[in-house]
Amino acid sequence: MDSKRVILIDANAERRATWRGHLQQIPFCQLVRDVGEMGRVPALVREQRPDLVLIGHELPDSGGIHLARRLIQEAPGLAVLILADAARSEDVLQALRAGVREYLVRPTPHELRAALARLAHVPACAEPTGGGRLIALFTPKGGTGQTSLAANLAIALHQESRRSVGLVDLNGRAGQLDLHLDLYPPCSWLEAIGKGDSWEKACHPHRSGPSLVVASRCADAVAPEAVQHLLPAMARRFETIVADVDHRPTPGTIATLKAAAAVLIPVRLDLGGMRAAQLALQIAQEHHLPADRLHLVTIGAGTPGGLSPQAIGDILKHPVAWRLPDDTPLATAAIDRGVPLLVGEPGSSLAHAVRRMARDLAGLAHDEAPAGGGGLQGLKEWWRRITNRSVGRTDGRPSRVLR
Ligand SMILES: Nc1ncnc2c1ncn2[C@@H]1O[C@H](COP(=O)(O)OP(=O)(O)OP(=O)(O)O)[C@@H](O)[C@H]1O
Ligand SMILES: [Mg+2]
């Protein structure tokens, strides 16, 4: 590894000496300057062109975050770390907004070294992009079944594809994925990074396979900056990420929808549900999301001669990708017990439908028993069907949204 040129700023001379001692022990770091005065730093950075800048930050704000913002504006590729005395969520968010790469609270020498090693590997100006694909569930209307679908789909994706799956709750304090899974992570992502811990402290495996991350449990809405940091981190860790998105079109919601490989829009088969789906499509259009990333998922059987999945597709001029059966007693009992249907009622028609969806989304063929009573003819017919069928759409166009 090439050695990285580092500038250290801390107004407190004693603490600066401690950081200096730690840095001198790290073989891939070359400390080019350490200073106590923030005012001198922009000129120093222009002159020395460091790879990394470490800024000591004290409360009340000693100006560290302001300095970080200025340095990053002047040199967008520069990796800036904050070494903080204490953590406040508001400070962490401000630092992230400013473009700070790491916010460490009183790190041990080992933690400091680990953070610098992470950054030393990251190309300085590139936004981290991982291999994971994001599936976002979004409808502007509450009570549609979005969270139930998110939880069950994450489990089904893991079971059907054997890929690693992360499930993220982006509803802030209104989030309920923990209830659905009966899994209560001791801290949210924002709390973990606010304490200077690795974000993975907020990552909790459910016994069925996927891991749950609650983005924030005190904020009313999850900030877009949080989304922009959390989702790439999850994409590096998981092959598939399922996001339960805030029903409101907040900036965080829009940032998530833009990052998604597929946006699933659950639709109740009634007039209110149709109106909500129409609004979801409208919001997506206003933000220039490609129409082929949007997938309507109807919930319910519809009314005779009234709203059917077909009618919804025709009225909204957007094909219905999947249809889920209506089973309020089963869906409600699953939530109340904290045991998702895929785990508690794997034989139900709702669980079958979600698994079929997961296979489509993962780009896998259906593996149902051959049609036509078996035998070679039945097998051929089944093979013809799966090789000719379009994946997850009703308009004949393929929609293999995941790898
Ligand atoms: N497939 C389904 N058939 C019938 N009812 C369902 C189905 N899925 C979920 N429900 C019911 O819908 C209600 C809302 O579910 P859920 O919490 O998943 O929706 P939501 O859209 O996330 O709501 P909110 O975010 O406003 O709390 C629950 O009572 C649940 O039992
Ligand atoms: Mg919900």
Side-chain angles (χ1 to χ4, degrees):
M1 191 192 305
D2 292 340
S3 77
K4 299 289 168 189
R5 294 165 59 75
V6 179
I7 289 182
L8 167 68
I9 305 110
D10 197 317
N12 180 316
E14 202 178 315
R15 209 176 32 211
R16 194 166 72 246
T18 309
W19 298 130
R20 191 168 52 224
H22 295 339
L23 286 167
Q24 281 161 352
Q25 301 297 316
I26 301 178
F28 58 85
C29 284
Q30 182 200 349
L31 183 61
V32 288
R33 290 295 287 276
D34 65 285
V35 293
E37 243 181 86
M38 290 199 184
R40 293 176 52 203
V41 176
L44 199 57
V45 167
R46 280 194 294 275
E47 180 193 311
Q48 296 287 338
R49 299 182 165 272
D51 301 294
L52 302 160
V53 174
L54 277 62
I55 303 177
H57 173 64
E58 264 179 0
L59 289 174
D61 188 2
S62 50
I65 295 174
H66 179 72
L67 174 64
R69 185 177 301 109
R70 177 165 171 199
L71 295 179
I72 294 163
Q73 273 167 0
E74 287 183 10
L78 187 64
V80 177
L81 284 85
I82 296 280
L83 301 171
D85 218 21
R88 280 191 320 179
S89 298
E90 187 45 37
D91 278 36
V92 179
L93 273 179
Q94 266 192 35
L96 293 179
R97 279 179 197 137
V100 165
R101 306 285 271 276
E102 296 272 353
Y103 187 104
L104 305 172
V105 181
R106 288 193 291 269
T108 62
H110 177 75
E111 287 164 343
L112 178 62
R113 183 189 171 119
L116 291 170
R118 271 197 302 278
L119 287 181
H121 280 104
V122 175
C125 52
E127 183 58 26
T129 53
R133 295 283 183 276
L134 173 68
I135 301 175
L137 285 93
F138 170 67
T139 165
K141 187 171 187 287
T144 301
Q146 176 179 308
T147 300
S148 307
L149 182 56
N152 284 291
L153 185 63
I155 297 170
L157 279 163
H158 173 74
Q159 288 176 350
E160 298 297 315
S161 69
R162 305 316 301 171
R163 290 180 187 150
S164 55
V165 178
L167 176 60
V168 57
D169 193 332
L170 296 173
N171 288 279
R173 62 181 178 182
Q176 298 205 335
L177 264 173
D178 54 350
L179 280 179
H180 285 242
L181 294 169
D182 195 21
L183 181 66
Y184 305 97
C187 71
S188 67
W189 170 81
L190 191 54
E191 287 164 317
I193 59 154
K195 283 191 203 133
D197 288 334
S198 153
W199 74 273
E200 302 203 9
K201 272 253 165 84
C203 200
H204 289 270
H206 186 256
R207 62 194 162 98
S208 63
S211 293
L212 173 65
V213 177
V214 174
S216 160
R217 48 185 183 188
C218 46
D220 197 27
V222 177
E225 292 78 12
V227 165
Q228 276 151 13
H229 281 77
L230 173 58
L231 295 182
M234 288 187 76
R236 283 194 294 275
R237 161 86 189 263
F238 299 103
E239 291 162 285
T240 305
I241 301 135
V242 176
D244 183 19
V245 179
D246 196 325
H247 296 300
R248 299 161 300 171
T250 62
T253 294
I254 303 303
T256 309
L257 300 183
K258 285 188 167 173
V263 177
L264 310 185
I265 304 171
V267 191
R268 284 277 178 166
L269 283 182
D270 53 36
L271 220 48
M274 192 192 67
R275 170 70 68 83
Q278 190 174 35
L279 180 57
L281 292 172
Q282 221 171 47
I283 291 168
Q285 198 181 17
E286 283 162 14
H287 293 279
H288 313 291
L289 296 183
D292 64 359
R293 277 197 218 156
L294 312 174
H295 305 266
L296 298 178
V297 184
T298 57
I299 298 176
T303 49
L307 280 177
S308 63
Q310 179 69 44
I312 291 274
D314 292 346
I315 296 166
L316 297 179
K317 298 191 174 52
H318 195 95
V320 171
W322 294 281
R323 305 166 182 204
L324 297 182
D326 200 345
D327 198 335
T328 306
L330 212 61
T332 308
I335 300 171
D336 289 350
R337 288 168 55 213
V339 181
L341 276 163
L342 261 282
V343 176
E345 301 286 346
S348 61
S349 55
L350 198 45
H352 278 298
V354 176
R355 276 198 296 270
R356 199 171 303 127
M357 239 181 113
R359 285 195 290 269
D360 288 349
L361 279 163
L364 302 175
H366 285 194
D367 61 0
E368 291 137 346
L376 194 57
Q377 191 48 45
L379 191 67
K380 275 189 186 157
E381 172 59 18
W382 169 71
W383 181 247
R384 194 186 58 71
R385 267 200 302 126
I386 65 168
T387 48
N388 286 344
R389 66 187 287 280
S390 59
V391 179
R393 297 193 69 123
T394 53
D395 62 352
R397 285 187 289 140
S399 70
R400 286 173 186 265
V401 292
L402 296 183
R403 291 166 304 158

